[in-house]
Amino acid sequence: MIGSKRGLKIAVASGKGGTGKTSVAVSLALAVRKTGRSVQLIDADVECPNAHHFLNLDRRESISVEVMLPRIDPSRCNLCGECAKFCSYQALAMLSDRVMLFPDMCHGCEGCWVICPCSAIEKGAQEIGRILCWTTDGFELLQGRLNVGQVLTPTLIRRLHSMADETRNRFDLTIVDCPPGTACPMMAAVRGADGLLLVTEPTTFGRHDLELALAAVRRFKLPAEVIINRSIGDDGIIDDLCRSRAIPIIERFPEDRKIAVAYSEGHPMIEAGSDWAERYSSLRKHLDRAWS
Amino acid sequence: MLIAISSRGDTLDSLLDPRLGRAERFILIDSDSQAFSVLETAGTQVAHGAGIQTAQMLLKAGVKLVISGDCGPKAFQVFQAASVPVYSAVGGMIREALAAWKRNELPMIGQPGGAHKV
């Protein structure tokens, strides 16, 4: 049963965007919470965080996430150029009389600070985003928000995970709402999870991106299960793939206008009607069995 | 004065490369003696900051003036900081671009263009 061991972390991912990751993650969190168990929800879709819209919570904290930005002291710099040579991202350019900094190229690796032979580089900081925290009794939502124009998405997601890990053992379950795609942000969000729920839809695009997602997360060797969303009865296209990969399909959520109506009013799937409450209760029971 | 022109080939008859940061090579010409050499750049290889890297290489080589198709925002900042003017040529051969600059026909880039994609 979920909660028999504290700190269980399940990632909800997809590959394809718009399959219903956030809807499933939030609704599953609420389904587990309904049984009296405590849940931590991580909104790791930091480029487009929106899980809070489905939940009625009071925000408690907003924490700045910074990375190191070099500050060069011209009085100590001997113009050796080692820092500019080292930087893989060309954030530092060597001119004849000074080093020029391009802040938006810097990935905050601190390498220039380490390599400078004259200690001319000081650690400045730049904010890449913020972590927002909502807490109520038995429920915590941690959400990363990348600042506009920033590119260090995986860095922010890793910091979000570290912060969540500090309180993770107080909860029966942690659910990670992952960003779409199969690139670095998705990988950073999935990393460290104990299990994976892949949400897909029975379309050519859904199958294609599910295949990519399965390939991307293979190295994590995580137990993975598939949820088909917006099923219209014939899910053959996904069935084939899952059969050949021996990945269980644990739920088929039907296409239902009630979901769209609830969504438009800011309500999660689980609140779209008694049939949906029942479906999530059954999903929760399945996970209780799978994680006993 | 050493002039750099982004080029697709190794001679004065080569075609001008309209890209600056991602040009594969530059023809470096001494405006007094007309002697020229070829500077290979890693511009097309790097994932990020090709313009910054190329600009640094040109400055290190002692270039005092650049002729290319356009100049991205970051390379432009580097050249501006080093007081190296960048002139824009539409295409044609290296020797034509050089001649056009000598006739004062090339516009100096005052505003950077958009960053080039790989």
Side-chain angles (χ1 to χ4, degrees), chain A residues 198-263:
Chain A
L198 290 159
V199 185
T200 188
E201 56 182 33
T203 64
T204 308
F205 299 108
R207 179 193 162 115
H208 175 264
D209 291 356
L210 175 62
E211 219 170 337
L212 291 180
L214 288 171
V217 300
R218 194 160 37 206
R219 56 176 295 193
F220 292 139
K221 297 189 167 62
L222 288 176
E225 296 180 316
V226 165
I227 294 173
I228 299 178
N229 195 13
R230 297 199 198 100
S231 167
I232 48 168
D234 178 9
D235 309 320
I237 192 165
I238 304 294
D239 291 332
D240 284 351
L241 176 68
C242 291
R243 201 177 306 119
S244 70
R245 304 291 170 86
I247 302 209
I249 298 170
I250 57 167
E251 201 67 58
R252 294 167 199 268
F253 289 143
E255 170 83 359
D256 185 349
R257 191 171 187 278
K258 291 203 297 291
I259 301 296
V261 173
Y263 183 92

Short mmCIF file of all heavy atoms in Angstrom, two decimals, chain A residues 198-263:
data_model
loop_
_atom_site.label_atom_id
_atom_site.label_comp_id
_atom_site.label_asym_id
_atom_site.label_seq_id
_atom_site.Cartn_x
_atom_site.Cartn_y
_atom_site.Cartn_z
N LEU A 198 3.07 6.81 -17.23
CA LEU A 198 3.13 7.52 -18.51
C LEU A 198 1.72 7.74 -19.03
O LEU A 198 0.97 6.78 -19.24
CB LEU A 198 3.96 6.71 -19.51
CG LEU A 198 5.46 6.67 -19.18
CD1 LEU A 198 6.14 5.50 -19.86
CD2 LEU A 198 6.13 7.98 -19.58
N VAL A 199 1.36 8.99 -19.21
CA VAL A 199 0.02 9.33 -19.70
C VAL A 199 0.11 9.54 -21.20
O VAL A 199 0.95 10.32 -21.67
CB VAL A 199 -0.51 10.60 -19.02
CG1 VAL A 199 -1.95 10.87 -19.45
CG2 VAL A 199 -0.43 10.47 -17.50
N THR A 200 -0.75 8.84 -21.92
CA THR A 200 -0.71 9.01 -23.38
C THR A 200 -2.12 9.08 -23.92
O THR A 200 -3.10 8.99 -23.16
CB THR A 200 0.08 7.87 -24.05
OG1 THR A 200 0.25 8.16 -25.44
CG2 THR A 200 -0.63 6.53 -23.91
N GLU A 201 -2.24 9.27 -25.21
CA GLU A 201 -3.56 9.28 -25.85
C GLU A 201 -3.50 8.38 -27.08
O GLU A 201 -2.43 8.19 -27.66
CB GLU A 201 -3.95 10.71 -26.24
CG GLU A 201 -2.91 11.36 -27.13
CD GLU A 201 -3.25 12.80 -27.50
OE1 GLU A 201 -3.85 13.50 -26.69
OE2 GLU A 201 -2.91 13.20 -28.63
N PRO A 202 -4.63 7.78 -27.48
CA PRO A 202 -4.61 6.80 -28.56
C PRO A 202 -4.56 7.46 -29.94
O PRO A 202 -5.48 7.32 -30.74
CB PRO A 202 -5.91 6.02 -28.37
CG PRO A 202 -6.83 6.98 -27.70
CD PRO A 202 -5.98 7.90 -26.88
N THR A 203 -3.49 8.19 -30.18
CA THR A 203 -3.29 8.82 -31.49
C THR A 203 -1.89 8.46 -31.98
O THR A 203 -1.06 7.98 -31.21
CB THR A 203 -3.38 10.35 -31.42
OG1 THR A 203 -2.30 10.82 -30.58
CG2 THR A 203 -4.70 10.81 -30.84
N THR A 204 -1.64 8.70 -33.26
CA THR A 204 -0.31 8.46 -33.82
C THR A 204 0.74 9.26 -33.06
O THR A 204 1.83 8.78 -32.77
CB THR A 204 -0.29 8.87 -35.31
OG1 THR A 204 -1.39 8.24 -35.94
CG2 THR A 204 1.00 8.46 -35.98
N PHE A 205 0.41 10.51 -32.74
CA PHE A 205 1.35 11.36 -32.01
C PHE A 205 1.59 10.84 -30.61
O PHE A 205 2.70 10.84 -30.10
CB PHE A 205 0.82 12.80 -31.95
CG PHE A 205 0.64 13.43 -33.29
CD1 PHE A 205 -0.62 13.65 -33.81
CD2 PHE A 205 1.74 13.77 -34.06
CE1 PHE A 205 -0.79 14.23 -35.06
CE2 PHE A 205 1.59 14.34 -35.31
CZ PHE A 205 0.31 14.58 -35.82
N GLY A 206 0.50 10.41 -29.97
CA GLY A 206 0.59 9.88 -28.62
C GLY A 206 1.52 8.67 -28.59
O GLY A 206 2.40 8.56 -27.73
N ARG A 207 1.35 7.78 -29.55
CA ARG A 207 2.17 6.58 -29.61
C ARG A 207 3.64 6.92 -29.90
O ARG A 207 4.55 6.42 -29.25
CB ARG A 207 1.66 5.63 -30.71
CG ARG A 207 2.51 4.39 -30.80
CD ARG A 207 2.24 3.58 -32.05
NE ARG A 207 3.36 2.67 -32.28
CZ ARG A 207 3.27 1.35 -32.23
NH1 ARG A 207 2.12 0.79 -31.99
NH2 ARG A 207 4.33 0.61 -32.43
N HIS A 208 3.84 7.79 -30.87
CA HIS A 208 5.19 8.18 -31.26
C HIS A 208 5.96 8.74 -30.06
O HIS A 208 7.09 8.35 -29.77
CB HIS A 208 5.12 9.22 -32.38
CG HIS A 208 6.45 9.77 -32.78
ND1 HIS A 208 6.93 10.96 -32.27
CD2 HIS A 208 7.42 9.29 -33.59
CE1 HIS A 208 8.13 11.19 -32.79
NE2 HIS A 208 8.45 10.19 -33.59
N ASP A 209 5.32 9.67 -29.34
CA ASP A 209 6.01 10.31 -28.23
C ASP A 209 6.13 9.39 -27.02
O ASP A 209 7.08 9.51 -26.24
CB ASP A 209 5.31 11.63 -27.86
CG ASP A 209 5.47 12.67 -28.97
OD1 ASP A 209 6.18 12.38 -29.95
OD2 ASP A 209 4.90 13.76 -28.85
N LEU A 210 5.19 8.46 -26.88
CA LEU A 210 5.30 7.48 -25.80
C LEU A 210 6.52 6.58 -26.04
O LEU A 210 7.27 6.25 -25.12
CB LEU A 210 4.03 6.63 -25.72
CG LEU A 210 4.03 5.47 -24.71
CD1 LEU A 210 4.21 6.01 -23.28
CD2 LEU A 210 2.74 4.66 -24.80
N GLU A 211 6.71 6.22 -27.30
CA GLU A 211 7.85 5.40 -27.68
C GLU A 211 9.16 6.12 -27.35
O GLU A 211 10.10 5.53 -26.82
CB GLU A 211 7.77 5.11 -29.19
CG GLU A 211 8.18 3.71 -29.53
CD GLU A 211 7.87 3.36 -30.99
OE1 GLU A 211 6.99 4.00 -31.59
OE2 GLU A 211 8.53 2.45 -31.50
N LEU A 212 9.19 7.41 -27.67
CA LEU A 212 10.38 8.21 -27.36
C LEU A 212 10.61 8.28 -25.85
O LEU A 212 11.72 8.16 -25.36
CB LEU A 212 10.23 9.64 -27.91
CG LEU A 212 10.26 9.82 -29.42
CD1 LEU A 212 10.11 11.30 -29.77
CD2 LEU A 212 11.56 9.29 -30.01
N ALA A 213 9.51 8.47 -25.11
CA ALA A 213 9.62 8.59 -23.66
C ALA A 213 10.15 7.29 -23.05
O ALA A 213 11.00 7.31 -22.16
CB ALA A 213 8.26 8.96 -23.05
N LEU A 214 9.64 6.16 -23.57
CA LEU A 214 10.11 4.87 -23.05
C LEU A 214 11.61 4.70 -23.31
O LEU A 214 12.35 4.21 -22.44
CB LEU A 214 9.33 3.72 -23.70
CG LEU A 214 7.88 3.57 -23.25
CD1 LEU A 214 7.15 2.55 -24.12
CD2 LEU A 214 7.80 3.17 -21.78
N ALA A 215 12.04 5.11 -24.50
CA ALA A 215 13.47 5.01 -24.83
C ALA A 215 14.30 5.92 -23.94
O ALA A 215 15.38 5.56 -23.47
CB ALA A 215 13.69 5.35 -26.30
N ALA A 216 13.76 7.12 -23.67
CA ALA A 216 14.50 8.11 -22.88
C ALA A 216 14.71 7.65 -21.44
O ALA A 216 15.78 7.84 -20.87
CB ALA A 216 13.78 9.46 -22.91
N VAL A 217 13.69 7.02 -20.86
CA VAL A 217 13.78 6.68 -19.43
C VAL A 217 14.31 5.26 -19.20
O VAL A 217 14.45 4.84 -18.04
CB VAL A 217 12.41 6.83 -18.71
CG1 VAL A 217 11.91 8.26 -18.82
CG2 VAL A 217 11.38 5.87 -19.28
N ARG A 218 14.63 4.54 -20.29
CA ARG A 218 15.07 3.15 -20.14
C ARG A 218 16.24 3.00 -19.18
O ARG A 218 16.28 2.11 -18.36
CB ARG A 218 15.45 2.59 -21.52
CG ARG A 218 15.60 1.09 -21.54
CD ARG A 218 15.50 0.55 -22.94
NE ARG A 218 16.13 1.46 -23.91
CZ ARG A 218 15.80 1.54 -25.20
NH1 ARG A 218 14.85 0.78 -25.67
NH2 ARG A 218 16.40 2.36 -26.00
N ARG A 219 17.18 3.94 -19.26
CA ARG A 219 18.38 3.83 -18.41
C ARG A 219 18.08 3.97 -16.92
O ARG A 219 18.87 3.56 -16.09
CB ARG A 219 19.42 4.86 -18.83
CG ARG A 219 18.90 6.27 -18.81
CD ARG A 219 19.98 7.25 -19.13
NE ARG A 219 21.01 7.26 -18.10
CZ ARG A 219 21.94 8.18 -17.99
NH1 ARG A 219 22.00 9.16 -18.86
NH2 ARG A 219 22.81 8.14 -17.02
N PHE A 220 16.95 4.54 -16.59
CA PHE A 220 16.60 4.67 -15.16
C PHE A 220 16.11 3.33 -14.59
O PHE A 220 16.02 3.17 -13.39
CB PHE A 220 15.51 5.73 -14.96
CG PHE A 220 15.95 7.14 -15.24
CD1 PHE A 220 15.13 8.03 -15.92
CD2 PHE A 220 17.20 7.60 -14.80
CE1 PHE A 220 15.53 9.33 -16.16
CE2 PHE A 220 17.61 8.90 -15.05
CZ PHE A 220 16.78 9.76 -15.73
N LYS A 221 15.76 2.41 -15.49
CA LYS A 221 15.27 1.09 -15.07
C LYS A 221 14.15 1.18 -14.03
O LYS A 221 14.15 0.52 -13.00
CB LYS A 221 16.42 0.23 -14.52
CG LYS A 221 17.49 -0.06 -15.57
CD LYS A 221 18.50 -1.09 -15.04
CE LYS A 221 19.37 -1.64 -16.15
NZ LYS A 221 20.20 -0.62 -16.82
N LEU A 222 13.19 2.03 -14.32
CA LEU A 222 12.06 2.24 -13.41
C LEU A 222 10.89 1.36 -13.79
O LEU A 222 10.65 1.14 -14.97
CB LEU A 222 11.57 3.69 -13.52
CG LEU A 222 12.43 4.80 -12.94
CD1 LEU A 222 11.80 6.14 -13.26
CD2 LEU A 222 12.54 4.61 -11.44
N PRO A 223 10.14 0.89 -12.80
CA PRO A 223 8.87 0.27 -13.16
C PRO A 223 7.96 1.32 -13.79
O PRO A 223 7.77 2.39 -13.22
CB PRO A 223 8.32 -0.23 -11.83
CG PRO A 223 9.12 0.42 -10.76
CD PRO A 223 10.40 0.90 -11.36
N ALA A 224 7.45 1.01 -15.00
CA ALA A 224 6.62 1.99 -15.70
C ALA A 224 5.27 1.38 -16.06
O ALA A 224 5.17 0.21 -16.39
CB ALA A 224 7.33 2.46 -16.97
N GLU A 225 4.23 2.20 -15.95
CA GLU A 225 2.89 1.78 -16.33
C GLU A 225 2.26 2.89 -17.14
O GLU A 225 2.63 4.06 -17.00
CB GLU A 225 2.06 1.48 -15.08
CG GLU A 225 2.63 0.31 -14.29
CD GLU A 225 1.83 -0.04 -13.05
OE1 GLU A 225 1.44 0.89 -12.32
OE2 GLU A 225 1.60 -1.22 -12.82
N VAL A 226 1.31 2.49 -17.99
CA VAL A 226 0.72 3.47 -18.91
C VAL A 226 -0.74 3.73 -18.57
O VAL A 226 -1.49 2.82 -18.22
CB VAL A 226 0.85 2.97 -20.37
CG1 VAL A 226 -0.05 3.75 -21.31
CG2 VAL A 226 2.31 3.07 -20.83
N ILE A 227 -1.10 5.00 -18.64
CA ILE A 227 -2.51 5.39 -18.54
C ILE A 227 -2.92 5.98 -19.88
O ILE A 227 -2.25 6.90 -20.39
CB ILE A 227 -2.71 6.45 -17.43
CG1 ILE A 227 -2.39 5.85 -16.06
CG2 ILE A 227 -4.12 7.03 -17.47
CD1 ILE A 227 -2.38 6.86 -14.93
N ILE A 228 -3.97 5.43 -20.49
CA ILE A 228 -4.46 6.00 -21.75
C ILE A 228 -5.56 7.00 -21.41
O ILE A 228 -6.53 6.67 -20.74
CB ILE A 228 -5.00 4.91 -22.69
CG1 ILE A 228 -3.87 3.91 -23.03
CG2 ILE A 228 -5.56 5.53 -23.97
CD1 ILE A 228 -4.32 2.76 -23.92
N ASN A 229 -5.36 8.22 -21.86
CA ASN A 229 -6.35 9.26 -21.61
C ASN A 229 -7.10 9.54 -22.91
O ASN A 229 -6.58 9.34 -23.99
CB ASN A 229 -5.62 10.53 -21.13
CG ASN A 229 -6.57 11.53 -20.51
OD1 ASN A 229 -7.73 11.21 -20.21
ND2 ASN A 229 -6.09 12.74 -20.30
N ARG A 230 -8.34 9.96 -22.79
CA ARG A 230 -9.20 10.26 -23.94
C ARG A 230 -9.39 9.04 -24.84
O ARG A 230 -9.31 9.14 -26.06
CB ARG A 230 -8.62 11.41 -24.78
CG ARG A 230 -8.55 12.70 -24.01
CD ARG A 230 -8.43 13.87 -24.94
NE ARG A 230 -7.95 15.02 -24.18
CZ ARG A 230 -6.69 15.42 -24.17
NH1 ARG A 230 -5.79 14.82 -24.89
NH2 ARG A 230 -6.36 16.44 -23.44
N SER A 231 -9.59 7.91 -24.22
CA SER A 231 -9.84 6.70 -24.98
C SER A 231 -11.22 6.79 -25.63
O SER A 231 -12.19 7.23 -24.99
CB SER A 231 -9.78 5.49 -24.04
OG SER A 231 -10.29 4.36 -24.69
N ILE A 232 -11.30 6.38 -26.91
CA ILE A 232 -12.62 6.38 -27.56
C ILE A 232 -13.03 4.94 -27.88
O ILE A 232 -13.81 4.68 -28.79
CB ILE A 232 -12.65 7.26 -28.82
CG1 ILE A 232 -11.44 6.96 -29.71
CG2 ILE A 232 -12.68 8.73 -28.46
CD1 ILE A 232 -11.55 7.56 -31.09
N GLY A 233 -12.46 4.01 -27.12
CA GLY A 233 -12.86 2.61 -27.29
C GLY A 233 -11.82 1.77 -27.97
O GLY A 233 -11.56 0.65 -27.56
N ASP A 234 -11.21 2.31 -29.02
CA ASP A 234 -10.19 1.55 -29.72
C ASP A 234 -8.82 2.16 -29.46
O ASP A 234 -8.48 3.21 -29.98
CB ASP A 234 -10.48 1.57 -31.23
CG ASP A 234 -9.41 0.81 -32.01
OD1 ASP A 234 -8.56 0.14 -31.38
OD2 ASP A 234 -9.42 0.91 -33.25
N ASP A 235 -8.04 1.48 -28.60
CA ASP A 235 -6.71 1.99 -28.26
C ASP A 235 -5.63 1.10 -28.85
O ASP A 235 -4.50 1.06 -28.35
CB ASP A 235 -6.54 2.02 -26.73
CG ASP A 235 -7.68 2.74 -26.05
OD1 ASP A 235 -8.13 3.76 -26.59
OD2 ASP A 235 -8.11 2.27 -24.98
N GLY A 236 -5.98 0.40 -29.94
CA GLY A 236 -5.07 -0.57 -30.54
C GLY A 236 -3.67 -0.04 -30.76
O GLY A 236 -2.68 -0.75 -30.55
N ILE A 237 -3.59 1.20 -31.17
CA ILE A 237 -2.30 1.80 -31.51
C ILE A 237 -1.35 1.82 -30.29
O ILE A 237 -0.15 1.65 -30.42
CB ILE A 237 -2.55 3.22 -32.10
CG1 ILE A 237 -1.29 3.78 -32.74
CG2 ILE A 237 -3.09 4.18 -31.08
CD1 ILE A 237 -1.56 4.97 -33.64
N ILE A 238 -1.94 2.01 -29.10
CA ILE A 238 -1.13 2.01 -27.88
C ILE A 238 -0.99 0.58 -27.35
O ILE A 238 0.08 0.20 -26.85
CB ILE A 238 -1.77 2.90 -26.78
CG1 ILE A 238 -1.99 4.33 -27.29
CG2 ILE A 238 -0.91 2.91 -25.52
CD1 ILE A 238 -0.75 5.11 -27.61
N ASP A 239 -2.06 -0.21 -27.47
CA ASP A 239 -2.03 -1.61 -27.01
C ASP A 239 -0.85 -2.35 -27.62
O ASP A 239 -0.10 -3.03 -26.92
CB ASP A 239 -3.33 -2.33 -27.39
CG ASP A 239 -4.52 -1.83 -26.60
OD1 ASP A 239 -4.31 -1.36 -25.47
OD2 ASP A 239 -5.65 -1.89 -27.11
N ASP A 240 -0.69 -2.20 -28.95
CA ASP A 240 0.39 -2.88 -29.67
C ASP A 240 1.75 -2.59 -29.06
O ASP A 240 2.53 -3.48 -28.76
CB ASP A 240 0.45 -2.39 -31.14
CG ASP A 240 -0.67 -3.00 -31.95
OD1 ASP A 240 -1.34 -3.91 -31.43
OD2 ASP A 240 -0.88 -2.54 -33.09
N LEU A 241 1.99 -1.29 -28.90
CA LEU A 241 3.29 -0.85 -28.39
C LEU A 241 3.53 -1.40 -26.98
O LEU A 241 4.59 -1.96 -26.69
CB LEU A 241 3.35 0.69 -28.38
CG LEU A 241 4.62 1.29 -27.78
CD1 LEU A 241 5.82 1.01 -28.67
CD2 LEU A 241 4.46 2.81 -27.61
N CYS A 242 2.51 -1.27 -26.12
CA CYS A 242 2.69 -1.68 -24.73
C CYS A 242 2.87 -3.20 -24.61
O CYS A 242 3.61 -3.69 -23.77
CB CYS A 242 1.53 -1.21 -23.87
SG CYS A 242 1.53 0.58 -23.67
N ARG A 243 2.17 -3.93 -25.50
CA ARG A 243 2.30 -5.38 -25.48
C ARG A 243 3.74 -5.76 -25.85
O ARG A 243 4.37 -6.57 -25.18
CB ARG A 243 1.30 -6.02 -26.45
CG ARG A 243 1.02 -7.49 -26.14
CD ARG A 243 -0.03 -8.08 -27.09
NE ARG A 243 -1.28 -7.30 -27.12
CZ ARG A 243 -1.78 -6.71 -28.21
NH1 ARG A 243 -1.15 -6.78 -29.37
NH2 ARG A 243 -2.92 -6.05 -28.15
N SER A 244 4.25 -5.12 -26.92
CA SER A 244 5.59 -5.49 -27.38
C SER A 244 6.66 -5.09 -26.37
O SER A 244 7.73 -5.69 -26.34
CB SER A 244 5.86 -4.86 -28.74
OG SER A 244 6.02 -3.46 -28.60
N ARG A 245 6.39 -4.10 -25.55
CA ARG A 245 7.38 -3.68 -24.55
C ARG A 245 7.10 -4.26 -23.17
O ARG A 245 7.77 -3.92 -22.21
CB ARG A 245 7.42 -2.16 -24.44
CG ARG A 245 7.68 -1.43 -25.73
CD ARG A 245 9.11 -1.67 -26.21
NE ARG A 245 9.28 -1.16 -27.55
CZ ARG A 245 9.60 0.12 -27.84
NH1 ARG A 245 9.78 0.97 -26.87
NH2 ARG A 245 9.73 0.50 -29.08
N ALA A 246 6.03 -5.04 -23.07
CA ALA A 246 5.62 -5.61 -21.80
C ALA A 246 5.40 -4.54 -20.73
O ALA A 246 5.83 -4.65 -19.59
CB ALA A 246 6.64 -6.65 -21.32
N ILE A 247 4.70 -3.48 -21.13
CA ILE A 247 4.38 -2.40 -20.19
C ILE A 247 2.87 -2.43 -19.94
O ILE A 247 2.08 -2.35 -20.89
CB ILE A 247 4.79 -1.04 -20.77
CG1 ILE A 247 6.29 -1.12 -21.05
CG2 ILE A 247 4.41 0.11 -19.84
CD1 ILE A 247 7.05 0.09 -20.99
N PRO A 248 2.47 -2.59 -18.69
CA PRO A 248 1.03 -2.69 -18.43
C PRO A 248 0.28 -1.38 -18.64
O PRO A 248 0.78 -0.31 -18.32
CB PRO A 248 0.97 -3.12 -16.96
CG PRO A 248 2.32 -2.92 -16.39
CD PRO A 248 3.30 -2.75 -17.49
N ILE A 249 -0.91 -1.51 -19.23
CA ILE A 249 -1.81 -0.36 -19.31
C ILE A 249 -2.75 -0.49 -18.13
O ILE A 249 -3.50 -1.46 -18.02
CB ILE A 249 -2.60 -0.37 -20.64
CG1 ILE A 249 -1.63 -0.25 -21.81
CG2 ILE A 249 -3.64 0.75 -20.66
CD1 ILE A 249 -2.28 -0.49 -23.17
N ILE A 250 -2.70 0.45 -17.20
CA ILE A 250 -3.44 0.25 -15.95
C ILE A 250 -4.76 1.00 -15.93
O ILE A 250 -5.61 0.77 -15.07
CB ILE A 250 -2.59 0.65 -14.72
CG1 ILE A 250 -2.12 2.11 -14.82
CG2 ILE A 250 -1.40 -0.29 -14.58
CD1 ILE A 250 -1.57 2.63 -13.52
N GLU A 251 -4.95 1.91 -16.85
CA GLU A 251 -6.19 2.68 -16.85
C GLU A 251 -6.50 3.19 -18.24
O GLU A 251 -5.58 3.53 -19.00
CB GLU A 251 -6.04 3.86 -15.88
CG GLU A 251 -7.33 4.46 -15.38
CD GLU A 251 -8.13 3.53 -14.47
OE1 GLU A 251 -7.62 3.10 -13.42
OE2 GLU A 251 -9.28 3.26 -14.85
N ARG A 252 -7.79 3.20 -18.60
CA ARG A 252 -8.21 3.82 -19.85
C ARG A 252 -9.29 4.83 -19.50
O ARG A 252 -10.43 4.47 -19.20
CB ARG A 252 -8.79 2.76 -20.81
CG ARG A 252 -7.77 1.76 -21.28
CD ARG A 252 -8.46 0.56 -21.94
NE ARG A 252 -7.54 -0.57 -21.98
CZ ARG A 252 -6.73 -0.83 -23.01
NH1 ARG A 252 -6.76 -0.07 -24.08
NH2 ARG A 252 -5.93 -1.86 -22.97
N PHE A 253 -8.92 6.10 -19.51
CA PHE A 253 -9.89 7.15 -19.20
C PHE A 253 -10.63 7.54 -20.47
O PHE A 253 -10.00 7.90 -21.46
CB PHE A 253 -9.17 8.39 -18.62
CG PHE A 253 -8.64 8.18 -17.23
CD1 PHE A 253 -7.44 8.75 -16.85
CD2 PHE A 253 -9.34 7.44 -16.28
CE1 PHE A 253 -6.94 8.59 -15.56
CE2 PHE A 253 -8.85 7.27 -14.99
CZ PHE A 253 -7.65 7.85 -14.64
N PRO A 254 -11.96 7.46 -20.45
CA PRO A 254 -12.70 7.78 -21.67
C PRO A 254 -12.72 9.28 -21.98
O PRO A 254 -12.60 10.11 -21.09
CB PRO A 254 -14.11 7.28 -21.36
CG PRO A 254 -14.22 7.37 -19.87
CD PRO A 254 -12.84 7.09 -19.34
N GLU A 255 -12.86 9.56 -23.26
CA GLU A 255 -13.10 10.93 -23.70
C GLU A 255 -14.43 11.37 -23.07
O GLU A 255 -15.42 10.65 -23.15
CB GLU A 255 -13.18 10.93 -25.23
CG GLU A 255 -13.66 12.21 -25.86
CD GLU A 255 -12.54 13.23 -26.03
OE1 GLU A 255 -11.39 12.94 -25.64
OE2 GLU A 255 -12.83 14.31 -26.53
N ASP A 256 -14.44 12.52 -22.40
CA ASP A 256 -15.65 12.92 -21.68
C ASP A 256 -15.72 14.46 -21.62
O ASP A 256 -14.79 15.11 -21.13
CB ASP A 256 -15.61 12.34 -20.26
CG ASP A 256 -16.89 12.60 -19.47
OD1 ASP A 256 -17.73 13.40 -19.93
OD2 ASP A 256 -17.03 12.00 -18.38
N ARG A 257 -16.81 14.98 -22.11
CA ARG A 257 -16.95 16.45 -22.14
C ARG A 257 -16.92 17.06 -20.73
O ARG A 257 -16.51 18.20 -20.54
CB ARG A 257 -18.28 16.81 -22.84
CG ARG A 257 -18.39 18.28 -23.16
CD ARG A 257 -19.60 18.58 -24.03
NE ARG A 257 -19.55 19.99 -24.45
CZ ARG A 257 -19.99 20.97 -23.69
NH1 ARG A 257 -20.51 20.74 -22.50
NH2 ARG A 257 -19.91 22.24 -24.11
N LYS A 258 -17.33 16.25 -19.75
CA LYS A 258 -17.35 16.75 -18.35
C LYS A 258 -15.95 17.20 -17.90
O LYS A 258 -15.82 18.11 -17.09
CB LYS A 258 -17.85 15.64 -17.41
CG LYS A 258 -19.32 15.29 -17.58
CD LYS A 258 -19.90 14.65 -16.31
CE LYS A 258 -19.28 13.33 -15.92
NZ LYS A 258 -19.60 12.21 -16.85
N ILE A 259 -14.92 16.51 -18.46
CA ILE A 259 -13.54 16.87 -18.08
C ILE A 259 -13.22 18.29 -18.58
O ILE A 259 -12.65 19.11 -17.87
CB ILE A 259 -12.52 15.87 -18.71
CG1 ILE A 259 -12.80 14.46 -18.24
CG2 ILE A 259 -11.09 16.27 -18.38
CD1 ILE A 259 -12.64 14.22 -16.78
N ALA A 260 -13.62 18.55 -19.82
CA ALA A 260 -13.34 19.86 -20.41
C ALA A 260 -14.07 20.96 -19.63
O ALA A 260 -13.52 22.04 -19.38
CB ALA A 260 -13.76 19.87 -21.87
N VAL A 261 -15.31 20.67 -19.24
CA VAL A 261 -16.08 21.66 -18.48
C VAL A 261 -15.43 21.92 -17.12
O VAL A 261 -15.21 23.07 -16.73
CB VAL A 261 -17.55 21.18 -18.30
CG1 VAL A 261 -18.31 22.12 -17.37
CG2 VAL A 261 -18.24 21.07 -19.66
N ALA A 262 -15.06 20.83 -16.43
CA ALA A 262 -14.41 20.97 -15.12
C ALA A 262 -13.10 21.74 -15.27
O ALA A 262 -12.81 22.67 -14.50
CB ALA A 262 -14.14 19.59 -14.51
N TYR A 263 -12.34 21.38 -16.31
CA TYR A 263 -11.04 22.02 -16.58
C TYR A 263 -11.21 23.53 -16.76
O TYR A 263 -10.46 24.33 -16.21
CB TYR A 263 -10.46 21.38 -17.84
CG TYR A 263 -9.09 21.85 -18.24
CD1 TYR A 263 -7.94 21.19 -17.81
CD2 TYR A 263 -8.92 22.95 -19.09
CE1 TYR A 263 -6.68 21.61 -18.20
CE2 TYR A 263 -7.68 23.38 -19.48
CZ TYR A 263 -6.55 22.70 -19.04
OH TYR A 263 -5.31 23.12 -19.42
#
